[in-house]
Amino acid sequence: MPDPKLSLRGVEKSFGEAHVLRGIDLNIGAGELVCLIGASGSGKSTLLRCMNGLEPVDDGAVLLDGVDIAEPGFDLGPIRQRIGIVFQSFNLFPHMSAYENVALAPRRVLQETDTARPRIEALFQRFGLADHINKYPDQLSGGQQQRVAVIRALAMRPETLLLDEITSALDPELVGEVLDVLRQLRNDGMTMVLATHEMSFARDVADRVVFMDQGVIAEEGAPEDIFSNPKRDRTRRFLASVLR
Amino acid sequence: MIAGLSTAIVVVLVVVLVPLAPGWDAVKRSFFDAETFVNTFPTLLRAFLLDVAIFAWSVPMIFALGLAIALARGAQSAALFPLRIFGAVYVDLFRGIPVVLLVYLVGFGVPGLGLPRPWNSPYIWGTVALVLTYSAYVAEVLRSGIESIHASQRNAAICLGLSSRDTMRYVILPQAIRRVVPANMNMLVALQKDVALLSFIGPVEILRQAGIFKSLLANFTPYVVAAVIFLCVTVPATRYADYLLNKDRNARS
């Protein structure tokens, strides 16, 4: 593999007594789509939050293009606009319209004032939300809100997108529209790390699947290997429990 | 139905029993004299406008200072620790002193320094006393509002690359302020009443004017007039605050 876009070396993280990440090593190449799977509490979300510095790591390194962003005192502001993140619970700002949600950061951080509008409108157009651009979050369905959240992250022109179980809070019939957005982004060549319970999606579109168990990477590999021919017992047990 | 009946019984009892009290005739004459009521009403209403004016110029200062204190108390970084201490001490101090005492201390104490006009005005220092007390309360209300905004909102903003200052200004504060509007409405009602405390240090506002009439006419009715004028403002305002509170509760459940 050429130099990875994002590289984790021996990442450790505890919350009080709970040792959530126990030495994670993971490389993510430019343009790769990596799916993190594993039971709730296996450390997927925490791993994503460590990748953009939202959670400081206790030990280890997080290298973005070879630069350790986990160094204490590292200025994470510019990093966060290069690594976008979308959360399970959308976290749209309820007092702002969909457009304002998306436009806030480009205006304040990228200092874009006039140039942002057509760009943002094009994003809404592209992801089928042109009619909803001036609605408030509580007027949108869960799937629409989550697509706005993705657009909000994309508006910062990130190089990498972290997606934390972004379909888990959605009604089943709304999951598809959000996954379609991810397929389009994958075709654009966006680097993405996706924590997910959508096994069929992971099998269809992931370049690599990483199975986490109790804070370690138990197994990783191409989707067909992980899903059809898992090598470890605990991978097999997990897949049996979710693929029933 | 039952509520109506019991209310009617109570009203009848009050109307029948109170006049039976031995001092009722004297009380009626000195507190509920119709002629005095009508004669003093216009002057007292004009004096009340001064209360309204003091209220009106105090409110913006209270909210500006309250917001500053709330933000100081919420300061995160270690370098700003003194600011947090200052905020905490300020709130403890000015919430802990009865308003009337502060009105006396500031209203008589500071002009006692022998400041030249207009800096010895009781209007200025009375207002300062009110602003000090009420900004401490408003700071606490705003702080509770800020803390009620879920951490995920802050996270979402930070992850977009917003500075913590912009996060507060564009994401946290607009939501927090909206959430505490009902509590602040109650605060304003209390302030409107406490403006009358300035009567103790000089301004001839409604309470002072009522006192003057009382001495002139040897009758307490002007105080009743003042109470009625206050109620005309505070009851609708309290009801409106309750309405906002209920609306907010329903919207959130």
Side-chain angles (χ1 to χ4, degrees):
Chain A
M1 194 197 290
D3 280 348
K5 184 86 206 155
L6 196 61
S7 181
L8 307 182
R9 308 258 172 90
V11 168
E12 301 269 347
K13 178 73 188 176
S14 296
F15 294 105
E17 294 290 293
H19 199 170
V20 182
L21 299 178
R22 306 164 181 256
I24 299 285
D25 292 293
L26 182 63
N27 290 321
I28 290 141
E32 204 180 11
L33 170 55
V34 176
C35 281
L36 303 179
I37 61 170
S40 299
S42 59
K44 305 187 297 290
S45 288
T46 307
L47 186 60
L48 288 179
R49 284 159 174 261
C50 287
M51 285 185 191
N52 78 337
L54 186 56
E55 294 287 353
V57 304
D58 296 338
D59 199 13
V62 179
L63 305 176
L64 178 66
D65 289 329
V67 178
D68 187 1
I69 63 170
E71 283 286 319
F74 192 91
D75 178 15
L76 288 164
I79 298 304
R80 289 188 171 124
Q81 87 202 38
R82 293 173 60 191
I83 306 181
I85 186 165
V86 183
F87 300 96
Q88 177 178 354
S89 49
F90 329 140
N91 300 352
L92 293 182
F93 307 134
H95 59 300
M96 296 183 186
S97 70
Y99 175 79
E100 288 163 340
N101 261 278
V102 176
L104 176 64
R107 181 159 50 83
R108 297 301 305 170
V109 182
L110 303 180
Q111 315 294 337
E112 284 186 43
T113 44
D114 306 330
T115 48
R117 178 135 210 143
R119 197 162 65 79
I120 290 168
E121 282 172 351
L123 283 169
F124 275 86
Q125 187 81 46
R126 177 173 180 198
F127 297 115
L129 289 170
D131 294 341
H132 304 290
I133 191 164
N134 289 319
K135 289 190 180 166
Y136 283 79
D138 62 3
Q139 299 170 309
L140 298 173
S141 74
Q144 290 166 341
Q145 288 188 54
Q146 193 58 291
R147 281 185 283 159
V148 172
V150 173
I151 292 172
R152 185 171 69 174
L154 290 176
M156 293 303 285
R157 307 180 201 268
E159 303 157 6
T160 302
L161 209 49
L162 309 175
L163 304 141
D164 187 4
E165 301 197 21
I166 63 168
T167 57
S168 300
L170 298 179
D171 292 335
E173 73 271 19
L174 301 177
V175 168
E177 65 190 60
V178 173
L179 294 182
D180 283 343
V181 168
L182 299 187
R183 284 200 182 86
Q184 293 190 50
L185 293 177
R186 171 169 164 61
N187 293 337
D188 293 351
M190 174 71 77
T191 308
M192 288 189 279
V193 186
L194 170 71
T196 188
H197 291 296
E198 296 293 328
M199 295 304 154
S200 58
F201 180 79
R203 190 201 294 250
D204 286 351
V205 300
D207 294 301
R208 196 147 47 95
V209 173
V210 173
F211 170 59
M212 291 188 68
D213 188 37
Q214 296 176 7
V216 297
I217 293 177
E219 187 168 352
E220 64 177 300
E224 52 271 29
D225 294 336
I226 297 285
F227 287 108
S228 311
N229 189 19
K231 293 183 179 54
R232 306 282 295 269
D233 270 349
R234 42 186 178 173
T235 316
R236 227 168 278 139
R237 270 200 305 276
F238 170 73
L239 289 174
S241 72
V242 294
L243 292 178
R244 255 179 318 182
Chain B
M1 174 64 193
I2 293 176
L5 199 64
S6 66
T7 308
I9 290 173
V10 170
V11 169
V12 167
L13 283 179
V14 168
V15 169
V16 171
L17 288 182
V18 168
L20 293 179
W24 171 242
D25 279 340
V27 167
K28 195 175 154 195
R29 238 177 297 117
S30 54
F31 282 87
F32 300 104
D33 186 64
E35 196 189 331
T36 311
F37 194 106
V38 173
N39 288 340
T40 57
F41 186 85
T43 312
L44 287 171
L45 191 61
R46 232 172 295 128
F48 185 65
L49 289 181
L50 180 56
D51 291 75
V52 174
I54 294 170
F55 173 81
W57 69 57
S58 298
V59 167
M61 288 189 268
I62 285 167
F63 279 91
L65 192 57
L67 180 59
I69 298 293
L71 292 177
R73 288 206 72 181
Q76 297 289 330
S77 77
L80 296 178
F81 187 69
L83 217 53
R84 277 171 62 189
I85 294 286
F86 171 79
V89 169
Y90 183 96
V91 167
D92 283 351
L93 201 62
F94 292 116
R95 281 201 313 171
I97 303 176
V99 192
V100 61
L101 206 55
L102 204 63
V103 168
Y104 270 121
L105 289 174
V106 178
F108 284 137
V110 179
L113 295 173
L115 299 175
R117 286 164 71 89
W119 295 105
N120 56 1
S121 155
Y123 291 93
I124 293 179
W125 298 107
T127 303
V128 166
L130 290 177
V131 169
L132 288 173
T133 302
Y134 274 87
S135 61
Y137 281 103
V138 166
E140 280 304 275
V141 168
L142 284 175
R143 193 169 69 105
S144 74
I146 289 169
E147 284 173 3
S148 77
I149 303 301
H150 199 266
S152 60
Q153 288 284 310
R154 184 187 299 269
N155 284 345
I158 295 282
C159 286
L160 287 167
L162 288 175
S163 64
S164 47
R165 190 195 155 106
D166 279 353
T167 299
M168 183 54 82
R169 179 167 158 203
Y170 293 103
V171 177
I172 309 289
L173 266 187
Q175 297 185 60
I177 288 174
R178 249 167 258 206
R179 205 168 273 190
V180 297
V181 162
N184 278 329
M185 278 294 297
N186 282 326
M187 207 70 83
L188 293 181
V189 172
L191 172 66
Q192 179 65 79
K193 291 184 292 175
D194 278 352
V195 168
L197 294 174
L198 295 202
S199 63
F200 294 133
I201 60 169
V204 183
E205 48 69 70
I206 186 166
L207 185 57
R208 184 86 165 189
Q209 182 63 54
I212 293 170
F213 276 134
K214 176 211 69 182
S215 308
L216 274 174
L217 307 171
N219 192 295
F220 289 103
T221 306
Y223 284 133
V224 176
V225 177
V228 168
I229 290 176
F230 268 109
L231 286 174
C232 288
V233 173
T234 51
V235 168
T238 318
R239 284 283 161 268
Y240 185 60
D242 287 350
Y243 162 76
L244 287 178
L245 202 61
N246 277 329
K247 207 173 77 169
D248 182 58
R249 206 173 285 147
N250 292 339
R252 263 196 274 177
S253 61

